[in-house]
Amino acid sequence: MRVAVASGKGGTGKTTVAVGVAISSALAGIPVEYLDCDVEEPNGHLLLRPRIESSRSVGILVPVLDEDLCTGCGKCAEVCEYQAIALLKAPLVFTELCHGCGGCVLACPTGALREEEHAIGVVETGWAGDVRFVQGRLNVGEELSPVLIRAVKKTAGHGSLTILDGPPGASCPAVAAVRDADLILLVAEPTPFGLSDLETAAAAFRGLGSHMALVINRSDSGTPELRRFCEDQGLEVLLEIPDDRRIAEAGSRGEVPVETLPELRDGLEQLRRRLHDFVEETHAHAPDQAVATRAGAGP
């Protein structure tokens, strides 16, 4: 079972929920892996404190020019959809804009362009107790976080439960993280801003074919509009976490709240069980959709 934890904005408690579910699962004896797909600013390691055992570089192939073979025809610049090549006296390649599609190399009539790998980040793996830990770290200045996110997700498959901790928002990186999950677990706060961001995220992810559910954080504050939105959209609320100062204090000390607050541990254990039941029920009611989702294009 692959559960992607997402949010329409940062600071909603997404990583606290993702880490909590992973630890609760491990305590229940379930093989679990936690994948931090927020590669621009991973912070799951601050709570899990994993022992990193391996690290590998991830890159894309970018064009390199041989000026002796270049005639300045400009076909490489014409074919580039990302404006990564500008034609001056000779083509000028902007590596940070290149998506590694290889179109310019194929279009060059003289073979003046060749491809070399350009590193964009690293994937690190290890263990945090009984939780298998994976995270991506995007190099400073790089733009192609979806490429690194897909590399992180390719390491999955070592647990019966995979928790994908996605980046906040609903842009390309967030979509890359939640795509092909059995369930997208949204985390939101019952405030006007929280509702607005939840609406954006739900609309963006709905077309991916995955089932969605919600965790409401700081549930005893804010306004009731968010719950009305859930009712109107058929978005089931699987857990409500109250606004508890002790949770913030535990996080500020680098502690996992689920390990220090027994009542939160009980709530997350109930959430873990409900996640399993929710996925089983929704797939049983829509088997064709579940099969189509799994058979679709890979992340």
Side-chain angles (χ1 to χ4, degrees):
M1 182 170 66
R2 305 180 83 183
V3 176
V5 184
S7 63
K9 62 181 283 294
T12 61
K14 171 179 56 62
T15 294
T16 299
V17 170
V19 168
V21 173
I23 291 177
S24 296
S25 302
L27 291 174
I30 297 173
V32 59
E33 53 187 353
Y34 168 88
L35 276 58
D36 195 339
C37 296
D38 187 3
V39 298
E40 295 183 48
E41 195 172 359
N43 58 5
H45 67 282
L46 298 176
L47 296 176
L48 286 171
R49 301 180 183 178
R51 180 183 71 257
I52 300 298
E53 297 179 346
S54 65
S55 177
R56 67 178 180 87
S57 177
V58 175
I60 62 170
L61 294 175
V62 299
V64 176
L65 178 68
D66 185 338
E67 295 185 4
D68 293 334
L69 298 177
C70 180
T71 62
C73 68
K75 292 187 181 296
C76 55
E78 292 175 8
V79 78
C80 183
E81 293 289 339
Y82 305 103
Q83 309 300 314
I85 299 179
L87 183 64
L88 302 178
K89 290 184 178 180
L92 180 62
V93 178
F94 297 93
T95 301
E96 64 274 11
L97 298 179
C98 179
H99 282 56
C101 70
C104 57
V105 176
L106 295 174
C108 180
T110 64
L113 290 173
R114 70 179 190 279
E115 291 179 303
E116 290 185 358
E117 183 164 306
H118 169 69
I120 63 169
V122 296
V123 172
E124 299 173 330
T125 61
W127 290 87
D130 292 328
V131 177
R132 182 174 181 265
F133 177 89
V134 184
Q135 71 175 2
R137 290 183 179 274
L138 192 70
N139 292 343
V140 175
E142 296 296 337
E143 301 287 342
L144 297 181
S145 56
V147 173
L148 188 55
I149 290 171
R150 289 193 288 269
V152 171
K153 292 176 66 176
K154 285 181 180 178
T155 68
H158 296 267
S160 59
L161 174 62
T162 297
I163 303 297
L164 304 165
D165 188 355
S171 60
C172 291
V175 172
V178 306
R179 186 189 298 273
D180 289 345
D182 294 298
L183 173 68
I184 300 173
L185 185 63
L186 295 166
V187 182
E189 300 170 339
T191 64
F193 285 115
L195 174 58
S196 176
D197 292 319
L198 174 63
E199 291 173 340
T200 300
F205 300 152
R206 187 168 288 115
L208 298 178
S210 299
H211 303 289
M212 289 190 293
L214 182 69
V215 169
I216 301 179
N217 193 18
R218 304 181 183 94
S219 59
D220 49 355
S221 61
T223 58
E225 281 79 5
L226 186 139
R227 288 179 177 82
R228 285 201 289 268
F229 170 78
C230 294
E231 293 174 0
D232 293 341
Q233 298 295 316
L235 195 61
E236 185 174 351
V237 178
L238 299 185
L239 176 67
E240 296 190 21
I241 301 175
D243 189 6
D244 192 325
R245 180 183 178 91
R246 293 175 299 166
I247 296 176
E249 291 175 345
S252 69
R253 294 192 298 266
E255 299 174 355
V256 183
V258 68
E259 293 180 336
T260 57
L261 278 72
E263 57 269 43
L264 182 58
R265 182 185 309 169
D266 294 340
L268 287 170
E269 171 59 19
Q270 293 176 12
L271 173 61
R272 181 192 64 77
R273 297 182 182 217
R274 295 194 68 187
L275 288 175
H276 181 273
D277 294 341
F278 186 88
V279 171
E280 290 293 323
E281 290 172 4
T282 50
H283 281 192
H285 293 159
D288 294 338
Q289 180 182 1
V291 172
T293 300
R294 279 300 191 182

